[in-house]
Amino acid sequence: MPKLTLVLGRKPMKAYDLDQDSISVGREPGVDIVIDNVSVSREHCVLRKEGDGWVVADLGSSNGTYLNGNRIGSGHAIVAGDEIGIGKFSLLFEKELDLAPEAKETASTSDAIDYSGTIQIGAKEVEKLLDASSKKRKAHIAWESGGRQGEHQLEAGFSVLIGTDDLCDIRVPKGPKHHLLFIRTKDGYEVRNLAMFGKMTVGSRATKKARLKDGDIVEMGGAKLTFADEL
């Protein structure tokens, strides 16, 4: 039986069996997975069984539904390991992880309201999970290049330079000396292409600079960087 794992702040919180052919997710009582948080729309997205596989579709949500960092609309096929982003939360398809200690604690409290046939995550429980995860997660970049990978935290007031030069904050095996610049602006985090030659893409869209949102994937010169915003 397929499984979904609810993730908050990169920490697994709850795991569910997909025991029916359609699973709706949202904030409004009446959907199958209720997450009582303003970042989630009343009817946010739906997962449907189609043939031998599953698809996910956005239901006109305010903050959008993301599949592996890319915003989606109508039905998109999902496979094991895919990450579905909804507001501050993610749902991992067919990837069951060990629950975080704070999730085990909150799961045993009365804050989670159990409706018949419905998974309900109450507002008090969400508040506890958000509080626990925000203490653990700061904005950061996960990078891959030339068979190497790493993670770098972003601090307010400091920019991060990525390239092959010794002076770069993140040194990558291949690419221009001064490659990409991540910087905090008054509106959030932004990435800029500093190279004279070479194309930078953010979410598969070519650009010279872009404001970043959680889950955005930046690629250039053989380097792949995934931005995770603070929660």
Side-chain angles (χ1 to χ4, degrees), residues 10-29:
R10 318 313 297 176
K11 297 291 183 181
M13 294 300 170
K14 288 180 177 290
Y16 316 113
D17 289 324
L18 297 182
D19 55 1
Q20 56 194 62
D21 291 344
S22 178
I23 302 288
S24 54
V25 184
R27 195 174 77 246
E28 186 174 61

Side-chain angles (χ1 to χ4, degrees), residues 138-206:
K138 293 184 178 181
H140 63 273
I141 304 165
W143 62 269
E144 303 173 30
S145 177
R148 294 169 52 196
Q149 59 184 9
E151 189 174 291
H152 189 95
Q153 284 196 350
L154 297 170
E155 299 289 344
F158 293 90
S159 59
V160 174
L161 184 65
I162 298 98
T164 58
D165 191 83
D166 290 343
L167 297 178
C168 291
D169 301 293
I170 299 176
R171 289 188 62 196
V172 293
K174 55 189 299 186
K177 281 189 175 181
H178 299 148
H179 198 154
L180 302 170
L181 181 70
F182 284 77
I183 190 168
R184 177 70 182 262
T185 70
K186 62 182 180 65
D187 297 320
Y189 285 94
E190 183 177 283
V191 62
R192 301 174 183 175
N193 178 6
L194 301 183
M196 186 174 296
F197 303 102
K199 182 175 70 173
M200 176 183 77
T201 62
V202 178
S204 300
R205 181 175 64 87

Side-chain angles (χ1 to χ4, degrees), residues 6 8 13-14 16 34-37 89 102-114 119-132:
L6 176 70
L8 175 62
M13 294 300 170
K14 288 180 177 290
Y16 316 113
V34 181
I35 304 175
D36 191 356
N37 183 259
F89 300 81
E102 61 269 17
K104 294 178 181 177
E105 178 183 347
T106 54
S108 65
T109 71
S110 59
D111 295 329
I113 305 169
D114 184 18
I119 299 162
Q120 171 80 13
I121 306 172
K124 290 183 180 179
E125 184 183 8
V126 169
E127 185 178 351
K128 287 183 181 181
L129 297 180
L130 283 170
D131 181 64

Side-chain angles (χ1 to χ4, degrees), residues 64-136:
T65 300
Y66 294 82
L67 180 58
N68 300 325
N70 297 313
R71 188 163 184 164
I72 62 170
S74 56
H76 285 251
I78 52 177
V79 297
D82 277 348
E83 180 175 353
I84 302 163
I86 48 171
K88 294 179 179 291
F89 300 81
S90 292
L91 290 167
L92 299 183
F93 179 68
E94 282 285 65
K95 189 175 182 180
E96 190 173 5
L97 306 173
D98 289 335
L99 297 183
E102 61 269 17
K104 294 178 181 177
E105 178 183 347
T106 54
S108 65
T109 71
S110 59
D111 295 329
I113 305 169
D114 184 18
Y115 292 127
S116 177
T118 299
I119 299 162
Q120 171 80 13
I121 306 172
K124 290 183 180 179
E125 184 183 8
V126 169
E127 185 178 351
K128 287 183 181 181
L129 297 180
L130 283 170
D131 181 64
S133 68
S134 66
K135 294 175 183 176
K136 295 179 175 62

